[in-house]
Amino acid sequence: FLKGTADTNYNTPFPSNFLFGTASSSYQFEGAYLSYGKGLSNWDVFTHEPGNVVDGSNGDIAVDHYHQYLEDLGFMDDIGVNSYRFSISWARILPKGRFGTVNRAGINHYNKLINALLLKGIEPFVTLAHFDIPQEIEDRYGAWLSPEIQKDFKYYADVCFKAFGDRVKYWVTFNEPNVGVIRSYRSGVFPPARCSGSFGNCSSGDSEKEPFIAAHNKILCHAAAVHLYRTKYQKRHGGSIGIVMNAVWYEPISDSMEDKQAVARAQAFYMNWFLDPIILGRYPTEMQEILGSNLPAFSKNEVKKLKNGLDFLGINHYSSFYIKDCMFSSCDQGPGISKTEGFAFRTAQRDGLFIGKPTTVDWLYVYPQGMEKIVMYLKERYNNIPMYITENGLGEVEHQNSTIEGLLNDVKRVDYMSSYLHALGTAMRNGADVRGYFAWSLLDNFEWTDGYTIRFGLCHVDYSSLKRTPKLSATWYKDYIAKNRRAARTCTDA
Ligand code: GBH
């Protein structure tokens, strides 16, 4: 009887312990870039060189979250989230990597943040590396291009687990290592801005080789941190550790066998590149076949350490694309024709029609089915591993004639989030083990090479006064969480 009542009343797919949260990262939010003992990060150096960020801006101040975190927690509290995903600034904890001392002020800062969260009943969900690393590591040995970085990453992870692990139950080694290595070493638009040939305009690098070396070292770093956590901390602290991947849904542009195979190659060269080694202990076969000796190899010992290296999988999902085969049929000039992208050409259009609704952001198309499909794809491929949607949201390019009223009345963001959450619910009803959802982002913030020109916040930030104002989407998310949580409790009680 009670079950029947709940079903006809409001049937939420989200269990009562589901994490609803918002996400952020250190460089995009904190500011305080040289205060309280912090060392220079690669992004501090990169943004201070002219020409790297469209509006010439940087994260020196960002949205001043370092100083205003208590106020920001107030917004989270009001929205009613039960989790907050943020990243630790590596250079704030270890200004010179393992070549210097631990910065006590940095440890104290994150202790205060974590304690304030827990006081409000908000679970910290912590990323160790979200693109920013100490510049020292870059200068000394070229960071991700050297296997030496395993020593630094392991040391940094150990310092964090030791300092915060008694209270942090969710650890993420890397945010989007796939996007990181592609942008840093293939297209060269992220520091250290390395690329070659037609891939971009860089003074040095090798787009055909370096992305795979950097990825290999990131995978080994991940494995080292997971091994450390599992052997030294997990029993005592009872937390879990995972990785966050950028996941794009690829739809074949036609029903042909060739285009379907191209989709498999596109996923291999984007997402499974990292997930296959970390979960299955080997690179995707598509990559091995196409890259040959340009793909680094794991030793037997490394494979042993790698396998089953995830307690959970974090997914940042925003957009979908069509994929067209470029291995068996010829393609026009464009990205995707190279072997480093699996000869899979990515496009937003088929027969002149977009895959989803275009937005003001050039890489973002509104295709909510992509959320359901990517989650089901990962469920099948990786044996229903526990998943968290660690980012999802809609960006808005600010124009000369954008008004504050328009920015606050973000109906499109509400539509986007509600349709993507609905699609997520469908995947969960079909058995996907999804345990959380984080909106990107609580606040408008520094959008990497797009500077402050793209706004992703549930709250608007006035960049001169740094005043925060909740948008319609903040109110909507609050209602959504309340509705879906109350229903979940009713079910449990019944
Ligand atoms: C995430 O980036 C980041 O984790 C976060 O820091 C950022 O602020 C947020 O999303 C919003 O951008 O291959 O055509 O998609 C992931 C999104 C992934 C967007 C790579 C641009 C390249 C173009 N990015 N993508 S495309």
Side-chain angles (χ1 to χ4, degrees):
F1 168 74
L2 282 171
K3 195 167 176 286
T5 312
D7 280 346
T8 50
N9 188 8
Y10 183 75
N11 184 5
T12 177
F14 305 108
S16 56
N17 57 356
F18 192 80
L19 298 183
F20 280 109
T22 63
S24 73
S25 87
S26 49
Y27 190 72
Q28 296 176 277
F29 262 62
E30 286 181 358
Y33 88 117
L34 278 182
S35 313
Y36 318 103
K38 179 178 162 296
L40 277 179
S41 79
N42 56 338
W43 274 89
D44 292 322
V45 174
F46 182 71
T47 57
H48 280 254
E49 285 160 13
N52 289 334
V53 178
V54 286
D55 57 0
S57 66
N58 57 53
D60 291 3
I61 299 172
V63 290
D64 198 34
H65 187 55
Y66 186 93
H67 296 109
Q68 304 191 33
Y69 72 92
L70 274 181
E71 185 191 348
D72 296 337
L73 256 60
F75 287 114
M76 288 181 222
D77 202 19
D78 188 37
I79 291 173
V81 299
N82 59 358
S83 187
Y84 175 41
R85 175 173 177 245
F86 63 93
S87 78
I88 294 177
S89 158
W90 188 345
R92 197 181 286 292
I93 300 291
L94 296 167
K96 299 269 173 209
R98 73 181 201 282
F99 306 99
T101 54
V102 175
N103 175 31
R104 279 290 131 198
I107 301 275
N108 291 344
H109 170 72
Y110 293 108
N111 270 331
K112 284 190 284 181
L113 170 62
I114 290 164
N115 293 342
L117 284 165
L118 292 175
L119 213 57
K120 291 194 182 297
I122 302 176
E123 280 286 336
F125 199 104
V126 180
T127 306
L128 291 173
H130 192 127
F131 300 156
D132 53 330
I133 66 170
Q135 179 64 24
E136 183 78 14
I137 292 174
E138 188 63 59
D139 293 344
R140 284 219 185 208
Y141 56 81
W144 305 111
L145 292 179
S146 167
E148 190 174 344
I149 198 155
Q150 290 172 64
K151 289 186 198 148
D152 265 291
F153 191 71
K154 197 173 161 189
Y155 179 67
Y156 167 53
D158 200 24
V159 169
C160 291
F161 296 153
K162 195 177 292 162
F164 313 122
D166 56 334
R167 288 150 294 149
V168 172
K169 301 303 165 198
Y170 300 93
W171 289 103
V172 168
T173 53
F174 291 111
N175 177 72
E176 300 187 349
N178 53 344
V179 171
V181 299
I182 289 169
R183 307 206 129 190
S184 294
Y185 302 101
R186 184 195 286 160
S187 55
V189 293
F190 276 13
R194 295 177 64 83
C195 63
S196 64
S198 58
F199 287 93
N201 185 17
C202 303
S203 50
S204 52
D206 186 343
S207 295
E208 302 277 1
K209 289 204 179 104
E210 288 185 356
F212 305 106
I213 296 168
H216 196 75
N217 289 322
K218 279 197 178 181
I219 290 165
L220 292 173
C221 283
H222 169 88
V226 169
H227 184 76
L228 175 71
Y229 187 69
R230 286 182 174 166
T231 51
K232 199 169 157 193
Y233 296 97
Q234 196 161 38
K235 246 213 195 97
R236 199 157 20 108
H237 292 156
S240 56
I241 186 161
I243 199 165
V244 165
M245 296 301 294
N246 184 261
V248 176
W249 175 251
Y250 296 131
E251 194 71 37
I253 198 156
S254 84
D255 282 339
S256 76
M257 201 56 196
E258 287 76 15
D259 287 331
K260 284 180 184 163
Q261 283 173 2
V263 166
R265 293 197 305 277
Q267 286 298 11
F269 277 80
Y270 195 64
M271 195 172 54
N272 309 339
W273 179 4
F274 290 80
L275 293 181
D276 277 16
I278 288 169
I279 300 173
L280 311 173
R282 50 156 181 81
Y283 281 114
T285 45
E286 293 89 348
M287 292 189 89
Q288 296 182 30
E289 278 164 17
I290 292 173
L291 295 173
S293 63
N294 274 352
L295 188 64
F298 296 111
S299 72
K300 279 219 179 77
N301 233 341
E302 287 170 343
V303 171
K304 245 195 267 159
K305 251 182 141 183
L306 272 174
K307 269 195 173 173
N308 303 312
L310 283 186
D311 296 330
F312 65 84
L313 168 58
I315 300 159
N316 293 350
H317 177 71
Y318 293 86
S319 188
S320 296
F321 285 95
Y322 290 120
I323 291 291
K324 178 173 158 29
D325 165 61
C326 294
M327 189 137 96
F328 302 104
S329 52
S330 72
C331 286
D332 298 337
Q333 282 295 100
I337 55 164
S338 78
K339 65 177 179 187
T340 67
E341 290 158 273
F343 299 108
F345 179 71
R346 163 206 271 229
T347 169
Q349 287 184 62
R350 174 167 78 182
D351 305 327
L353 293 175
F354 291 107
I355 185 160
K357 247 207 199 120
T359 67
T360 54
V361 177
D362 60 6
W363 53 267
L364 221 165
Y365 294 84
V366 186
Y367 185 70
Q369 302 94 308
M371 176 66 94
E372 180 191 341
K373 291 178 181 181
I374 195 78
V375 166
M376 292 311 280
Y377 171 87
L378 290 163
K379 168 187 185 288
E380 295 308 320
R381 190 174 179 92
Y382 300 114
N383 195 24
N384 207 11
I385 188 167
M387 288 182 259
Y388 293 85
I389 305 305
T390 37
E391 286 180 30
N392 173 246
L394 179 64
E396 189 178 1
V397 176
E398 191 169 356
H399 292 287
Q400 299 290 17
N401 48 1
S402 298
T403 61
I404 175 87
E405 292 76 24
L407 292 168
L408 292 178
N409 188 27
D410 57 343
V411 186
K412 284 190 177 146
R413 186 166 290 108
V414 170
D415 284 350
Y416 178 95
M417 287 176 66
S418 64
S419 63
Y420 274 68
L421 273 160
H422 182 79
L424 179 63
T426 306
M428 291 172 68
R429 287 192 168 98
N430 289 327
D433 185 5
V434 181
R435 302 183 179 185
Y437 171 93
F438 296 83
W440 184 272
S441 177
L442 179 71
L443 309 174
D444 294 334
N445 63 85
F446 180 76
E447 181 59 14
W448 307 113
T449 50
D450 290 309
Y452 297 99
T453 64
I454 305 183
R455 294 177 179 271
F456 270 92
L458 303 180
C459 298
H460 174 272
V461 176
D462 176 327
Y463 290 120
S464 26
S465 66
L466 293 174
K467 184 176 169 353
R468 288 95 156 107
T469 311
K471 302 177 189 175
L472 178 69
S473 55
T475 314
W476 171 83
Y477 195 35
K478 176 188 171 114
D479 289 347
Y480 187 89
I481 293 172
K483 198 171 164 200
N484 283 279
R485 202 168 280 144
R486 193 170 40 233
R489 286 220 184 98
T490 310
C491 284
T492 317
D493 292 345

